[in-house]
Amino acid sequence: MTRKGLTVVALGGNAISRENEEGNVAQQFANSAATAKQLADLIGQGFPLVITHGNGPQIGNFLLRNEAGAGLIYPLPMEVAVAHVQGGMGFMIAQAMTNELARRGDPKIVTAIVTTVLVDEHDPAFQNPTKPVGRVMNQQDAVKFSGEEGWSVKEISPGKFRRVVPSPAPTQIMEIDMIRRAVQAGDLLVVCGGGGVPVIRKNGRDLCGTRAVIDKDLASALLAAQLGAETLLILTAVDRICIDFGKPTQHSLETMSIAEAESHLNTGQFPAGSMGPKVQGAVNFLKSANNPHARAIIGPLDRAADAMSGKIGTAITPS
């Protein structure tokens, strides 16, 4: 078996929690086990991996527990909640991967690292919260939490509201040197869960958590570039990227250049709440990658190996 170039695999929310499920722990473990089979297939083909993942449904549930426990126990701030969820999800993914590899005769122990990611405290995103988190609220609850807790709240559809938080751009993976050493030693890691715990430099010196959520695709792109990865594989719930989604002119794309991707982003083909960050992450990675064979692929989680081989998914290339 020929060892291939390093691949950063960014798992979408469907890797752990599926639509039309409650999303309880047993279901999350079952979904993690199914995801592990897909990733183990890639490892079996000789691809060294670093795994990242989103946390949308899970952080929402965590914040709901904060609300339910109000008056009984102190609430946890956003950055600590992100760390808690990153640890719990990393534990599930790492355990599922370790077990699946063991079944295939590979004794490797997969390790999850609670990762912190530096953001700029002056990032404009802090003045314009846009990232929805937590449950859908009615207007009464929206007014209550906005007034009592100081939440920024946005009406997402008539009569339905959600809390929104800043989503600043990631600038540095703080544990990158340790991650790089582990990868070079052949370790299999789960890192940057949920985009990582956002931190700033307080007074230009001390690291300090900040109440924000980093987009996991943008963090994964930064990680892949800093590790010199060959491939950024973004696994989600679609077979290929589509143009004119939901219109009679809708069509899928097998390949897309950086220039084409940026043009489609600028014309609003890829909304911020769905495919936008994935395509932007792919572009960011390719623009900053120092690997001459760098490529980005966006494809379906349940056919990860086929996406890597070009049988499905959309490949984004430098030109």
Side-chain angles (χ1 to χ4, degrees):
M1 178 179 66
T2 302
R3 185 174 172 85
K4 299 178 174 66
L6 178 66
T7 297
V8 171
V9 181
L11 300 175
N14 61 327
I16 310 297
S17 296
R18 308 286 170 87
E19 289 186 16
N20 305 317
E21 288 184 347
E22 181 186 31
N24 57 49
V25 171
Q27 290 170 338
Q28 291 185 52
F29 265 113
N31 293 332
S32 297
T35 295
K37 293 180 185 296
Q38 296 292 321
L39 301 187
D41 286 345
L42 292 175
I43 293 171
Q45 293 177 9
F47 292 102
L49 305 182
V50 177
I51 303 166
T52 70
H53 62 86
N55 69 356
Q58 292 79 16
I59 194 66
N61 288 338
F62 194 100
L63 295 173
L64 186 59
R65 291 188 184 93
N66 257 0
E67 296 174 31
L72 298 176
I73 191 170
Y74 57 88
L76 294 178
M78 175 69 68
E79 63 273 24
V80 177
V82 171
H84 274 248
V85 172
Q86 185 180 171
M89 294 181 70
F91 159 69
M92 285 190 280
I93 296 170
Q95 186 177 93
M97 285 298 305
T98 298
N99 289 342
E100 182 60 32
L101 291 174
R103 293 187 190 100
R104 303 182 185 207
D106 185 342
K108 188 180 275 86
I109 301 297
V110 184
T111 305
I113 299 175
V114 175
T115 316
T116 54
V117 177
L118 186 68
V119 300
D120 183 354
E121 65 178 319
H122 302 297
D123 190 306
F126 284 108
Q127 306 305 318
N128 181 33
T130 58
K131 188 79 169 180
V133 297
R135 64 181 177 88
V136 175
M137 299 177 286
N138 58 31
Q139 185 172 14
Q140 181 179 357
D141 283 346
V143 171
K144 173 186 175 183
F145 286 112
S146 177
E148 295 180 3
E149 303 293 337
W151 289 5
S152 295
V153 177
K154 180 179 179 180
E155 189 171 19
I156 58 172
S157 62
K160 295 182 178 180
F161 299 79
R162 287 186 74 186
R163 180 184 181 182
V164 290
V165 299
S167 186
T171 64
Q172 176 67 34
I173 312 296
M174 300 306 298
E175 293 80 10
I176 190 64
D177 290 337
M178 180 178 66
I179 294 170
R180 186 179 291 112
R181 289 194 297 269
V183 170
Q184 290 172 346
D187 293 332
L188 180 53
L189 305 178
V190 182
V191 301
C192 289
V197 182
V199 296
I200 59 172
R201 289 281 186 191
K202 191 175 182 181
N203 301 319
R205 183 182 63 252
D206 295 338
L207 290 173
C208 177
T210 186
R211 298 186 180 186
V213 172
I214 301 171
D215 185 89
K216 64 92 177 170
D217 293 310
L218 300 185
S220 300
L222 177 62
L223 174 74
Q226 292 186 340
L227 289 177
E230 181 174 297
T231 305
L232 173 62
L233 176 61
I234 300 176
L235 295 177
T236 184
V238 300
D239 288 348
R240 284 195 170 97
I241 293 174
C242 288
I243 297 298
D244 293 343
F245 183 77
K247 299 178 181 178
T249 53
Q250 174 179 319
H251 61 281
S252 61
L253 300 174
E254 292 187 23
T255 61
M256 201 169 32
S257 68
I258 288 178
E260 290 169 332
E262 290 185 318
S263 175
H264 291 317
L265 282 166
N266 291 335
T267 56
Q269 286 284 355
F270 307 130
S274 58
M275 197 56 67
K278 296 173 176 55
V279 175
Q280 187 64 63
V283 169
N284 291 357
F285 166 61
L286 293 172
K287 280 190 165 184
S288 56
N290 56 15
N291 188 317
H293 305 293
R295 61 175 181 163
I297 301 168
I298 300 174
L301 172 65
D302 59 356
R303 294 181 62 185
D306 285 343
M308 284 291 281
S309 67
K311 294 178 182 177
I312 201 168
T314 301
I316 298 93
T317 57
S319 59

